[in-house]
Amino acid sequence: MRMKSLGRSGLMVSEIGFGAAPIGDLYALLDDEAAIAVVVAAVEAGMTLIDTSPLYGHGLSEHRIGTAIRRLGRERLVLCTKVGRVMSPARGAWDREGYVGGLPFAATLDYSHDGALRSLEQSLLRLGTDRIDIALIHDLDRRNHGDALDGHVETAIAGAYRALLRLRDEGVVRAIGLGVNEAEICLRLAERCDIDCVLLAGRYTLLDRSAAEFFLPLAEARGIGVMLGGVFNSGILATGAIPGARYDYAEAGPDIRSRVERIAAICAEHRVALPVAAMHFARAHPAVSSVVLGAVNPREVERNLAGWAAEVPASLWADLAAAGLIPSGAGA
């Protein structure tokens, strides 16, 4: 698998990263061996970048990755995790935050300096390693915080960012940045902070290109590495417009389903599967270092790799643009 530079960070990452949210029991329960097997399969296939977070199964994803690391060897991996939530043993019921399983830990939002250090220390213990390569401030966006976002931004800049900056300067982590769902906050933080990279979910896809106008050109110009997650927009660009298909973590509405049907029809004319087109569209932007894809079994890893290796004709992008479904020149 090709390796690419993650902006100016000095890190080299695989063009496909492994997204570990699903192995935190995101939409379905997995047993430990199955979850660990998919991490091992991804790394053996050449995916060196592993992205996780304390949020994913409230620590379960990190625990499972830690077991995989002990089987694979730490030196093979570029590990990315996040700060912004601190875990503690749950008392009674706790908010699973969309995960059907996971560990019995309650998450406390904490963007402070000490909160970031505590979060990262907990991650190191769960992962069973002495170092993290990439540390990102997680979910600092309006989708998660609504009108309280501005206050959290100020807390994070004064607190979590300063903590990560110090750790980077000391060589404890190699790269720092954001893991978010909105492009606008990436612009705001890039203007005020010295960030190396961003993991941006769902904002440069066949359905949503809100990152393309301002943030991706800025990232390219400043050498900010971009990892793209959510390139299937929570599922609909993988499954197609089937009943119950998800778009941005919720059931897709009729307008989105209609657009996906039109995109899928043009893809079919070119004999390109919809998820393959979604992957290739995301990877084509020059600012993008890695596309982070989740999987829950080795077959899905193989399917992602096959899609990545597939040939996609330039005429597909031209026809999608002619239909007004993507901008002219995008995807090529």
Side-chain angles (χ1 to χ4, degrees):
M1 186 176 297
R2 261 182 67 193
M3 307 293 287
K4 296 183 74 173
S5 174
L6 185 63
R8 63 174 186 271
S9 70
L11 287 168
M12 299 296 291
V13 295
S14 52
E15 278 191 308
I16 307 178
F18 178 76
I23 67 165
D25 293 346
L26 178 56
Y27 296 126
L29 294 171
L30 293 177
D31 66 54
D32 283 343
E33 284 305 316
I36 294 160
V38 71
V39 181
V40 171
V43 175
E44 295 289 6
M47 299 181 196
T48 62
L49 174 64
I50 306 292
D51 172 66
T52 186
S53 166
L55 173 66
Y56 303 158
H58 287 205
L60 182 59
S61 173
E62 289 182 326
H63 270 293
R64 287 169 164 171
I65 290 168
T67 301
I69 289 172
R70 289 188 289 278
R71 297 181 184 181
L72 292 161
R74 175 66 180 87
E75 68 283 352
R76 301 175 67 174
L77 307 177
V78 176
L79 276 182
C80 173
T81 194
K82 307 179 183 78
V83 302
R85 293 178 177 87
V86 175
M87 298 295 156
S88 59
R91 298 290 182 260
W94 73 96
D95 184 359
R96 293 179 183 268
E97 300 185 78
Y99 289 81
V100 299
L103 299 179
F105 296 119
T108 300
L109 196 71
D110 194 338
Y111 290 117
S112 70
H113 181 280
D114 290 350
L117 295 178
R118 186 179 177 199
S119 175
L120 206 59
E121 181 180 42
Q122 290 182 344
S123 289
L124 288 167
L125 293 171
R126 285 189 291 264
L127 289 162
T129 185
D130 59 352
R131 66 192 188 279
I132 300 293
D133 299 296
I134 304 168
L136 307 177
I137 302 172
H138 200 191
D139 284 345
L140 192 65
D141 49 41
R142 201 162 297 280
R143 175 182 169 272
N144 283 280
H145 304 302
D147 292 340
L149 174 62
D150 291 344
H152 288 306
V153 167
E154 297 307 317
T155 299
I157 291 175
Y161 166 66
R162 298 295 172 190
L164 297 183
L165 187 65
R166 191 188 84 193
L167 293 175
R168 187 186 67 185
D169 290 345
E170 293 173 353
V172 177
V173 299
R174 296 282 303 279
I176 63 174
L178 299 173
V180 291
N181 291 274
E182 295 165 12
E184 187 270 340
I185 192 64
C186 300
L187 281 171
R188 288 176 63 180
L189 268 289
E191 292 295 339
R192 298 179 60 184
C193 304
D194 180 20
I195 58 174
D196 302 298
C197 56
V198 162
L199 199 162
L200 181 59
R203 303 287 79 88
Y204 188 71
T205 74
L206 285 170
L207 293 172
D208 185 324
R209 292 170 296 279
S210 55
E213 185 173 4
F214 298 113
F215 175 64
L216 291 180
L218 176 72
E220 189 177 6
R222 294 193 180 180
I224 297 172
V226 177
M227 300 167 281
L228 287 182
V231 299
F232 303 132
N233 280 125
S234 298
I236 194 166
L237 288 174
T239 65
I242 62 173
R246 290 175 172 268
Y247 172 73
D248 273 4
Y249 309 102
E251 187 170 339
D255 290 346
I256 292 295
R257 291 199 303 272
S258 175
R259 286 178 60 197
V260 170
E261 287 169 351
R262 293 171 65 202
I263 292 169
I266 294 173
C267 287
E269 291 172 4
H270 290 268
R271 300 180 183 272
V272 175
L274 177 61
V276 171
M279 283 191 281
H280 282 256
F281 179 85
R283 73 185 290 189
H285 197 287
V288 174
S289 298
S290 185
V291 175
V292 177
L293 302 173
V296 295
N297 58 59
R299 292 187 305 279
E300 291 189 358
V301 172
E302 293 170 5
R303 186 178 64 197
N304 288 340
L305 289 168
W308 195 261
E311 294 290 331
V312 176
S315 56
L316 170 62
W317 313 120
D319 285 355
L320 288 171
L325 293 165
I326 63 171
S328 178

